[in-house]
Amino acid sequence: MGNRLVQALLSSSAICCTLAYAGLVQAAPNAFTDRGTYDAAVAGLSNVSITTLNFDGLTAGDLIASGDTVDGISFSYDLGGVSLQVTDGADTTSAPNFLGTNDLGMLQDGDDFQLGFGARNAVGLYVMSLDGLIDDDFQLTVGSFSASLSSADLQYTLNDGTSVYFLGIVDPTATFTAASVTTSHDGQSGYFLWNADDVVTAVAQVPEPGTWAMLMAGLGLLGVRTTRRAVRRGSDGLA
């Protein structure tokens, strides 16, 4: 009876581990346009480490040249002679600073940039504009996978009337080291100005196949020890 119980437990554990690992392998990148659901997905990663670049550790007016790295995130861009710049103001997602340019503190449609960082499973950021935005005005892209702005997913409106949107990508099984922030170039939206803030990235410590093997080996040893105890107790009872 003891042996059968142990074998059943080990079999169940093996099935659970196999299904869990298979679920991880089959998972795909997910796009988010809501900060709450993005945060929930990030929180579901294994042993997750989260980092947020909110530009508040810098001084308003500081320039971020193409190739510069800020808090582990590098910026690459070509804005036609304009530079990214730390900007401040009363209204942003995390006061006082946010990302703008040295052209009146604002980015405009067509001002695209790339982000580089260490291995990550997730990246997201806020984009903000006083101008009316429509679907797909912004894209956050990792590899060939993109999250596009949804005008229906307005996160909130700041006191000065600025509309705040969020874009995020979470890949629970694979890490990446770069992402791009691009604006629509189809001419449908017309001219718009914008800013960005709170670049949040995360990395998970996902068990490797070798770790699962070690776990199964440990369960096997536990089963052997449990079986020996069961046999010993049975022998003691018969004595």
Side-chain angles (χ1 to χ4, degrees):
M1 180 67 179
N3 289 340
R4 292 179 181 178
L5 177 60
V6 170
Q7 290 173 358
L9 289 173
L10 289 174
S11 177
S12 298
S13 298
I15 292 172
C16 290
C17 290
T18 301
L19 291 176
Y21 181 68
L24 288 174
V25 171
Q26 294 173 2
N30 294 292
F32 297 88
T33 54
D34 175 75
R35 178 63 188 269
T37 54
Y38 171 86
D39 287 345
V42 168
L45 297 175
S46 175
N47 300 322
V48 64
S49 174
I50 304 171
T51 303
T52 301
L53 171 59
N54 57 20
F55 305 99
D56 295 335
L58 303 174
T59 301
D62 284 351
L63 296 179
I64 303 175
S66 182
D68 281 356
T69 298
V70 181
D71 290 347
I73 296 181
S74 64
F75 292 81
S76 301
Y77 60 87
D78 182 1
L79 306 184
V82 174
S83 296
L84 293 178
Q85 183 181 52
V86 178
T87 306
D88 65 347
D91 288 309
T92 183
T93 55
S94 59
N97 294 341
F98 49 92
L99 183 64
T101 70
N102 59 352
D103 183 13
L104 301 179
M106 307 291 293
L107 294 106
Q108 65 183 50
D109 57 305
D111 287 348
D112 305 337
F113 56 85
Q114 293 74 47
L115 304 172
F117 34 73
R120 297 287 189 274
N121 293 92
V123 60
L125 80 165
Y126 285 117
V127 294
M128 308 172 287
S129 180
L130 272 168
D131 300 314
L133 300 177
I134 64 174
D135 290 351
D136 303 325
D137 268 347
F138 288 89
Q139 296 83 36
L140 174 67
T141 303
V142 170
S144 60
F145 187 82
S146 296
S148 296
L149 183 139
S150 170
S151 59
D153 288 338
L154 175 69
Q155 298 298 282
Y156 53 93
T157 302
L158 300 176
N159 292 331
D160 65 353
T162 296
S163 297
V164 178
Y165 297 89
F166 182 80
L167 296 173
I169 292 175
V170 178
D171 189 333
T173 62
T175 58
F176 46 85
T177 58
S180 62
V181 180
T182 57
T183 59
S184 174
H185 297 269
D186 59 12
Q188 296 181 15
S189 302
Y191 180 81
F192 60 85
L193 300 174
W194 61 286
N195 294 98
D197 204 357
D198 298 335
V199 182
V200 55
T201 62
V203 62
Q205 302 298 323
V206 180
E208 299 293 336
T211 303
W212 290 109
M214 292 177 63
L215 175 61
M216 293 306 301
L219 288 173
L221 290 174
L222 177 61
V224 170
R225 292 183 62 185
T226 304
T227 301
R228 288 176 177 173
R229 289 179 180 176
V231 170
R232 183 178 300 171
R233 288 175 181 173
S235 298
D236 292 344
L238 293 175

